[in-house]
Amino acid sequence: MMYIIDTANLDDIKRCVEYYPVAGVTTNPTIISKENTDFLKLIKDIRAIIGPDMMLHVQVTASKCEDIVKEALLLKEAVGGNFYVKIPISPEGLKATSVLHNMGIKVTETAIFTQQQALIAGLAGADFVAPYVNRLDNIVSDGVQVVAEIVEMFKKHDIKTKVLAASFKTVEQIHKIAMSGCQSVTINPALFETLTYHPMTQYAIDDFNADWESIYGKKSIAEICEGK
Ligand code: G3P
C-alpha cells in the first residue's frame, strides 16, 4: 500500500515527507491553482523537496493528443526524476496514453468514475488509474465498490496497471480502500494526518509521561544512560 499526498503546498509536502512514509505527491490544476504562484517554479520546488526517487504526478491541461504528448514531454523535462504525467480520461487522452506509454513515459489516467474507463485506460498503457472515491459517493454511487471491482478486474485480466484511489473525505473510505487490495491512495495532507491520530493514543502517551515523571522527574532515559 502506498500513501501519496494530494497537494502542491510546499509546507505540507515538507512536513509529510519528513514525518511519514509517503511514496510521492500528486497534483492537478485545481490543487496547483490553490497555491496561486509560478507554476514551473512550484513543480520544481516540489521535486527539490521530495528528491528524484519519489513519484511526482503532474496533470496536463491540453485536450488534443499531440498537445498532451507535448506537455507531458515538457513536464518530464522540467521536473525530472520519478515522473508521472496525469491525463484525464478521454478519447484524445487514451490515444496520448498509448503514445506516451510507447515512448516510456509513465502515465496516470485520472478522473476515472467507472470500471470500464479504468479497464480501457489500463489496456491503453496507463501505469496508474485514479478513480475518485468521494465524488462517486456524492453521486450516490459506491466509490469503494468501484475501486474494489477495478482492482479485481485488473487481477482477473492480468493487467499490470495499479489503482491510485483519489478523492477522499473520510478515514473510513481510506480504510475500506486499503482492505480492497488497492495498491495506492492519494489524500490531502489534512485528512492524511488524521490517519495516525487517536485520542486514546494521546491519553496513553500522557499517562506514560506522568508515571515516568512521578518517579524520575524530568530526567530522560538518555540522561540516565549517560550518567547525567
Ligand atoms: O486527485 C484527485 C483529487 O484531488 C480529487 O479530490 O477532493 O477534489 O474530490 P476531490
Side-chain angles (χ1 to χ4, degrees):
M1 177 72 166
M2 290 180 280
Y3 287 99
I4 297 174
I5 45 170
D6 203 19
T7 184
N9 182 276
L10 299 180
D11 290 335
D12 285 345
I13 293 169
K14 268 184 210 144
R15 193 180 60 259
C16 289
V17 165
E18 181 179 354
Y19 288 99
Y20 305 105
V22 297
V25 172
T26 52
T27 65
N28 62 36
T30 305
I31 285 170
I32 295 278
S33 62
K34 277 185 192 155
E35 303 309 311
N36 192 13
T37 188
D38 182 313
F39 168 68
L40 264 189
K41 181 173 179 336
L42 182 62
I43 56 173
K44 286 180 180 183
D45 285 349
I46 295 173
R47 173 56 81 207
I49 292 168
I50 68 177
D53 297 334
M54 273 195 201
M55 292 187 280
L56 176 53
H57 301 240
V58 184
Q59 192 164 320
V60 292
T61 56
S63 52
K64 289 272 172 219
C65 173
E66 63 182 49
D67 299 330
I68 294 172
V69 170
K70 186 175 176 187
E71 282 189 9
L73 295 174
L74 289 168
L75 282 171
K76 183 176 165 58
E77 197 186 323
V79 298
N82 191 359
F83 169 75
Y84 289 78
V85 58
K86 280 178 81 181
I87 304 176
I89 188 163
S90 71
E92 294 283 336
L94 287 166
K95 186 177 168 189
T97 298
S98 294
V99 172
L100 289 163
H101 173 72
N102 291 331
M103 294 170 79
I105 310 281
K106 293 180 284 192
V107 175
T108 297
E109 206 85 20
T110 193
I112 297 285
F113 282 81
T114 74
Q115 296 87 333
Q116 287 302 309
Q117 286 178 322
L119 182 54
I120 291 169
L123 292 171
D127 297 272
F128 283 97
V129 290
Y132 283 7
V133 176
N134 192 64
R135 293 195 198 189
L136 277 160
D137 290 352
N138 282 348
I139 52 170
V140 203
S141 180
D142 183 337
V144 171
Q145 194 192 345
V146 169
V147 169
E149 288 186 11
I150 295 170
V151 170
E152 190 184 334
M153 206 170 49
F154 283 178
K155 255 191 214 146
K156 277 187 179 156
H157 297 283
D158 197 25
I159 291 169
K160 303 294 176 221
T161 308
K162 293 188 179 75
V163 184
L164 171 55
S167 175
F168 289 103
K169 287 295 168 287
T170 69
V171 170
E172 190 188 5
Q173 288 168 332
I174 299 163
H175 173 62
K176 286 182 173 167
I177 289 293
M179 293 300 292
S180 77
C182 181
Q183 295 90 349
S184 51
V185 289
T186 185
I187 313 169
N188 70 70
L191 181 58
F192 174 66
E193 290 186 281
T194 66
L195 294 180
T196 56
Y197 176 78
H198 196 284
M200 290 301 290
T201 304
Q202 198 52 53
Y203 292 149
I205 292 170
D206 292 345
D207 282 349
F208 291 142
N209 290 338
D211 291 344
W212 175 267
E213 280 182 24
S214 72
I215 302 299
Y216 302 103
K218 291 284 177 199
K219 280 212 168 187
S220 69
I221 287 179
E223 284 168 333
I224 292 171
C225 290
E226 288 169 342
K228 289 180 184 164

